[in-house]
């Protein structure tokens, strides 16, 4: 493991993992607001268990990354980096309308932002990915999502 030489390299080495951990902790906090199933109706895991498991795994992998393969600053953030943060912010706003509209718009927007120009693939990512996620969790895991425009249509 090489030691960072400049002040900005030392700063960047810790800021990205710190941002990832803060994001995961905020996500874990939001999962604590999910409704709990009464024990008599509980047939599987609680709705908050799976996202908390994933966030805990993200924190674990981030700690491993810091320890085994620290970030080396090779270039400054460009406009796609800031565009990605803007897409995340837009995702947070669209979630207020519907989670799956937000997922589709985020996936399609990120594909365009990162250089994908084939519209059939962008449409596939923007439409198929949220649809698969919805039906996987709704029909297989029997986890109901928060109400929104599309979920109200499906749940009735």
């Amino acid at each position: 493991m090489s030691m960072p030489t400049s002040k900005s390299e030392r700063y960047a080495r810790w800021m990205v993992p710190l941002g990832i951990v803060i994001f995961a902790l905020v996500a874990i906090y939001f999962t604590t607001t999910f409704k709990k199933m009464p024990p008599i109706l509980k047939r599987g895991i609680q709705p908050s268990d799976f996202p908390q498991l994933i966030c805990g795994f993200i924190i674990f992998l981030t700690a491993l990354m810091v320890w085994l393969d620290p970030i080396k600053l090779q270039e400054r953030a460009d406009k796609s980096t800031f565009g990605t943060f803007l897409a995340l912010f837009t995702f947070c706003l669209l979630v207020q309308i519907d989670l799956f509209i937000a997922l589709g718009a985020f996936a399609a927007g990120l594909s365009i932002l990162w250089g994908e120009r084939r519209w059939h693939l962008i449409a596939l990512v923007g439409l198929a990915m949220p649809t698969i996620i919805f039906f996987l969790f709704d029909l297989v895991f029997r986890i109901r999502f928060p109400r929104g425009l599309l979920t109200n249509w499906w749940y009735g």
Side-chain angles (χ1 to χ4, degrees), residues 70-113:
I71 294 173
K72 298 167 189 76
L73 185 62
Q74 296 176 345
E75 59 186 62
R76 296 204 171 272
D78 60 359
K79 67 180 182 180
S80 71
T81 304
F82 296 110
T84 301
F85 283 116
L86 180 66
L88 280 171
F89 180 73
T90 305
F91 173 80
C92 292
L93 293 177
L94 287 176
V95 162
Q96 305 306 315
I97 298 170
D98 190 279
L99 174 66
F100 295 98
I101 291 174
L103 278 174
F106 180 73
L110 212 54
S111 297
I112 293 169
L113 190 65

Side-chain angles (χ1 to χ4, degrees), residues 34-47 142 144:
F34 293 175
K35 291 181 181 173
K36 298 278 185 197
M37 297 285 291
I40 196 160
L41 298 176
K42 184 177 169 185
R43 287 187 283 172
I45 62 173
Q46 291 287 338
R142 299 184 186 269
R144 294 182 71 96

